[in-house]
Amino acid sequence: MKKSFQTLALILLSMLTFAQNHTLPLWEGTPPLQNPSDLQEESTQQGILRIANVQTPSIDVYLPTKQIATGEAVVIFPGGGYAILAYDWEGTDFAKWFNAQGIAAIVVKYRLPISKSLTDPKEVPLLDAQRAIRMVRANAEAWNINTSKVGIMGFSAGGHLASTLSTEYAHEVNRPKDSIDALSARPDFSILVYPVISFRDAAVHSGSRKNLIGENASQELMDRFSGELNVTADTPPTFLVHAQDDKGVPIENSLLYYQALHQHGVKASLHIYPSGGHGFAFGLGKGAVEGWREVLLAWMRETVK
């Protein structure tokens, strides 16, 4: 009897764990804008879990217990210069932290434009990002999420992807569609952490630009993927955080985006810390920037209603 009870308890625990944290593919079969291939995803754990050559994009769904759930959700895009994904450092670690605040979190393993299997690499990260937020809305009832409280969060190049989604959520490419495509891909709010924003020379992160649109991209392409040039009054409310001493992605990226948001009457909150460098994530042990997450939660309480 005791053994049977222990077995039942393990089964129930397993079911609960699956319900709270599970993985779903973004697309059925071969994803759009991709040729079938035998290329394999690569994962390395060297302090940070780095994922490269994503061939099967997916979402990792982290749900808080219903007792503390706020109905809010944050779709997270890890950074990595469009070459890799810093998947735990800027992804799953934050998903777990959000869950502790009662907020659902969905980490996106999006395809990277340097993959040789892609047919139109520059369009693929945005396409995966649109799909991810639509999938969250499609599953909102089952996941106890309010469809009008679905935001996004991006770090570094993931911040570029988040800002692109914020300004180009209605962008379309020629591909087969299904019922999920009828749902809105517009985020209700956006959180940009030391984001790449501009592909113009004054503020550019050259690695992200090269990996997404190539070394000799036209001015038209550089402008299309410079978020500060594409803000409208419909761009979602945005929280920005950056360190003044960021040597990887110049602080001008956040300044330019904030200025564009302000000019278009979009609610925005910009937080600049004197130190922290690039890639500070939680900011632990890096001085004042360590408190940025509490500032974020206060902003969300005021903004996400």
Side-chain angles (χ1 to χ4, degrees):
M1 178 66 73
K2 184 178 179 182
K3 186 173 181 180
S4 297
F5 177 79
Q6 289 174 334
T7 302
L8 178 60
L10 286 172
I11 292 172
L12 290 173
L13 180 61
S14 175
M15 290 173 65
L16 179 62
T17 301
F18 179 81
Q20 299 302 114
N21 176 17
H22 56 283
T23 302
L24 294 173
L26 282 180
W27 311 96
E28 291 186 16
T30 302
L33 305 186
Q34 181 172 319
N35 289 321
S37 74
D38 57 1
L39 293 174
Q40 299 294 315
E41 180 179 302
E42 301 163 10
S43 296
T44 57
Q45 182 80 59
Q46 297 174 330
I48 296 174
L49 175 59
R50 292 171 167 85
I51 297 178
N53 206 28
V54 175
Q55 298 300 306
T56 304
S58 62
I59 52 175
D60 278 335
V61 182
Y62 288 77
L63 303 178
T65 58
K66 287 188 177 182
Q67 291 89 337
I68 66 168
T70 65
E72 299 163 342
V74 178
V75 181
I76 304 173
F77 304 106
Y82 285 122
I84 60 101
L85 301 177
Y87 204 69
D88 50 4
W89 185 249
E90 296 172 343
T92 55
D93 286 352
F94 277 87
K96 296 168 188 174
W97 175 74
F98 274 122
N99 277 187
Q101 321 306 319
I103 300 167
I106 297 86
V107 186
V108 186
K109 187 192 291 183
Y110 57 93
R111 289 172 290 169
L112 299 160
I114 60 173
S115 173
K116 297 184 183 305
S117 62
L118 304 181
T119 60
D120 193 352
K122 71 182 186 303
E123 301 292 350
V124 166
L126 176 58
L127 185 61
D128 286 352
Q130 291 170 317
R131 182 69 172 187
I133 197 167
R134 286 175 172 139
M135 281 188 67
V136 172
R137 290 198 166 109
N139 289 280
E141 184 175 356
W143 296 347
N144 200 28
I145 291 169
N146 185 326
T147 55
S148 64
K149 294 184 178 182
V150 181
I152 57 176
M153 181 184 209
F155 299 78
S156 194
H160 182 268
L161 178 54
S163 68
T164 305
L165 179 59
S166 295
T167 55
E168 296 190 38
Y169 52 84
H171 180 75
E172 294 190 9
V173 296
N174 185 24
R175 62 177 178 86
K177 294 188 177 181
D178 58 23
S179 59
I180 293 177
D181 290 304
L183 300 173
S184 173
R186 180 186 180 275
D188 294 305
F189 59 93
S190 179
I191 303 161
L192 306 181
V193 188
Y194 40 84
V196 176
I197 296 290
S198 183
F199 276 1
R200 291 185 158 193
D201 288 335
V204 71
H205 179 254
S206 57
S208 296
R209 183 174 72 180
K210 177 184 175 182
N211 289 335
L212 185 64
I213 61 174
E215 240 174 338
N216 301 305
S218 66
Q219 189 64 51
E220 181 182 6
L221 263 186
M222 287 190 284
D223 289 351
R224 181 195 153 189
F225 286 102
S226 292
E228 79 277 15
L229 303 180
N230 300 299
V231 170
T232 70
D234 292 325
T235 301
T238 303
F239 178 97
L240 295 124
V241 60
H242 221 121
Q244 190 175 358
D245 65 348
D246 191 328
K247 299 292 192 278
V249 176
I251 195 174
E252 283 76 13
N253 283 272
S254 285
L255 297 174
L256 287 167
Y257 198 66
Y258 176 81
Q259 184 178 35
L261 292 165
H262 179 64
Q263 287 175 345
H264 286 85
V266 178
K267 289 184 178 181
S269 186
L270 172 62
H271 300 272
I272 299 171
Y273 293 87
S275 61
H278 188 67
F280 54 74
F282 278 72
L284 300 179
K286 292 187 176 291
V289 73
E290 187 171 336
W292 78 268
R293 288 167 294 133
E294 296 306 315
V295 181
L296 169 63
L297 290 176
W299 177 82
M300 288 181 67
R301 284 192 292 269
E302 180 183 346
T303 306
V304 186
K305 298 177 181 177

